[in-house]
Amino acid sequence: MAALLNPMARRLAVAASRRLSTPAAVEPFVANWSTQARRNSSLVEVNGGFGEMVSSTQKYYVFGGKGGVGKTSLAASLAVKFANHGEPTLIVSMHPAHSLGDTLEQDLSGGKIVPVTGVDSLFAAEIGHVDAKEDSSSFGSSMRNMLGKIGLGVLADPLGKNKLHEMLMKTPGLGEGIAISKLIQIVELQESNKFRRIVLDTGATGHTLNLLSAATLMEKFLSMANKAANVASSYPALKSVFGKEQIDPAKIEELRQQIARVRDLIQDPQLTEFLIVTIPTVMAITESSRFHASLKKDGAPATRLVVNQVLPLSASECRFCAVKRKEETRALNMISADRELGGLKLIQAPLQDVEVKGVPALRFFSDVVWK
């Protein structure tokens, strides 16, 4: 009672009662994507350089980066943006899981190119879960057969039946190389004039690097294998030894050319652009830096760095948001000072309050990011 007689105490009590009786205004959840776009699109200043992409000669856009940073959502949103701009576009996922199908809310199983419902001129395929074992089994069998029948059985026999094939299947990136060579074969031989842009959503950092290294490694290996097969098939004595199981140099050469095409395509800046996706954390930025260094070493440097899930600006800050924003600022400052990332074109993609899933969500997200 005595405390309430104090004028200062009375004022504090009144102020407290007002705050308790009048709750802070809470913005309602907005489910409509067009309305949500008007609310959020100005919160983070973003320049995705889409006009530059449209006017470029590049056809392939490869998204890579640490797992769980939103590569699939960003790749799908760029594909939607291209298609909405009137550019016939194909997006392909190399993830072992059906992440692209989940993002588009459409069944893409089977590894075939299908039209995307709700977007004209957009097609999609998932090839990451395609089993490369079947495609390379004949090659492994032929190589073991060749070693055994041209007098090099001492190398083949200890491996046992199918062991050479198993060793080849464990070569890093072989599965990715065969999968993407399948895609290139489909696109160039069957639908070469159908797509203006092709967006590739790769797996985590390690899978992408495996693909790049395998493209060079397997091309050299297959080149040597093809020469050996041609030499063996040129001598009548050896041809009679092979019998019905003659090595088919044409099959080896076909696979070699496909792998070489992958390598040349990835390393051609006139045809392909690499985009590194990350999030604003110290660990993710550090891995992205190492990733870009490896890309440059393999002859496929990136040009853009997309920082996803950046906190939007807000008039009020909770304690959690303030701490997160401080962490983000530290990470973004690391980018500008990093030797590998500092020279890349920076794109900031704001964190969304709803899941980016389905064509309407992707269309909205594409307008936010790819300006």
Side-chain angles (χ1 to χ4, degrees):
M1 185 69 181
L4 293 178
L5 296 176
N6 186 302
M8 179 61 71
R10 288 199 303 271
R11 286 197 294 271
L12 291 175
V14 171
S17 66
R18 287 175 178 173
R19 286 196 296 269
L20 292 174
S21 61
T22 307
V26 179
E27 294 187 22
F29 173 79
V30 181
N32 182 273
W33 279 97
S34 61
T35 305
Q36 189 76 4
R38 291 194 295 271
R39 290 178 61 239
N40 287 350
S41 59
S42 62
L43 294 181
V44 176
E45 189 65 29
V46 175
N47 182 10
F50 183 71
E52 180 184 357
M53 292 181 177
V54 171
S55 61
S56 71
T57 60
Q58 292 162 331
K59 182 176 183 178
Y60 298 89
Y61 295 84
V62 184
F63 282 76
K66 180 179 172 65
V69 296
K71 294 186 299 294
T72 301
S73 298
L74 285 162
S77 67
L78 179 60
V80 169
K81 185 78 171 183
F82 276 132
N84 286 339
H85 196 265
E87 306 244 332
T89 303
L90 169 66
I91 178 169
V92 178
S93 172
M94 300 185 66
H95 283 277
H98 299 276
S99 55
L100 180 59
D102 294 338
T103 300
L104 295 172
E105 295 185 327
Q106 184 170 336
D107 182 14
L108 301 178
S109 60
K112 296 182 179 180
I113 298 174
V114 298
V116 175
T117 304
V119 185
D120 294 336
S121 303
L122 180 59
F123 298 79
E126 290 179 335
I127 62 174
H129 58 279
V130 174
D131 188 4
K133 183 176 181 180
E134 179 180 352
D135 299 283
S136 61
S137 60
S138 60
F139 167 68
S141 177
S142 297
M143 290 304 299
R144 184 178 183 278
N145 187 51
M146 178 181 67
L147 290 173
K149 293 190 175 182
I150 63 175
L152 296 179
V154 66
L155 299 178
D157 292 342
L159 296 176
K161 186 178 181 180
N162 296 326
K163 289 297 181 182
L164 179 60
H165 168 57
E166 292 177 9
M167 290 176 61
L168 292 172
M169 283 304 301
K170 293 179 181 179
T171 301
L174 177 60
E176 292 92 335
I178 292 178
I180 198 171
S181 67
K182 272 189 165 186
L183 167 68
I184 293 174
Q185 185 180 32
I186 292 173
V187 171
E188 293 190 345
L189 298 183
Q190 298 181 13
E191 301 184 48
S192 57
N193 297 320
K194 188 169 185 177
F195 304 116
R196 174 67 181 89
R197 311 285 179 176
I198 299 178
V199 180
L200 299 179
D201 175 31
T202 67
T205 302
H207 294 287
T208 307
L209 295 178
N210 284 344
L211 169 62
L212 295 174
S213 61
T216 299
L217 176 63
M218 293 306 300
E219 194 275 332
K220 292 180 179 179
F221 182 74
L222 290 168
S223 178
M224 292 187 294
N226 191 40
K227 291 179 181 179
N230 282 314
V231 169
S233 61
S234 299
Y235 293 91
L238 290 178
K239 290 176 68 176
S240 62
V241 172
F242 282 107
K244 296 181 179 180
E245 297 184 353
Q246 293 185 16
I247 300 172
D248 188 352
K251 290 184 179 180
I252 298 177
E253 176 62 17
E254 180 183 2
L255 181 57
R256 187 201 69 80
Q257 290 181 358
Q258 290 177 353
I259 298 296
R261 173 59 178 153
V262 172
R263 182 204 61 200
D264 295 340
L265 182 150
I266 290 175
Q267 295 178 345
D268 188 350
Q270 299 299 319
L271 290 176
T272 303
E273 176 179 347
F274 263 85
L275 297 92
I276 299 177
V277 180
T278 188
I279 54 176
T281 66
V282 172
M283 289 182 62
I285 297 300
T286 301
E287 180 169 334
S288 298
S289 178
R290 291 194 298 264
F291 181 42
H292 190 226
S294 298
L295 287 177
K296 292 195 300 183
K297 184 178 179 180
D298 288 324
T303 54
R304 302 176 204 270
L305 176 67
V306 185
V307 183
N308 194 23
Q309 302 176 14
V310 177
L311 282 177
L313 299 177
S314 176
S316 61
E317 287 276 293
C318 66
R319 182 177 180 180
F320 173 80
C321 295
V323 173
K324 287 295 294 181
R325 197 175 301 284
K326 184 177 180 180
E327 180 185 2
E328 285 188 354
T329 301
R330 179 187 175 193
L332 293 173
N333 289 338
M334 284 180 59
I335 294 174
S336 58
D338 189 86
R339 180 175 60 183
E340 296 295 338
L341 304 178
L344 300 181
K345 299 175 183 179
L346 180 63
I347 302 171
Q348 295 187 35
L351 177 67
Q352 304 302 311
D353 55 5
V354 288
E355 188 176 18
V356 182
K357 183 179 181 182
V359 169
L362 289 168
R363 184 175 286 115
F364 151 72
F365 194 49
S366 69
D367 290 336
V368 172
V369 179
W370 309 108
K371 294 184 178 181

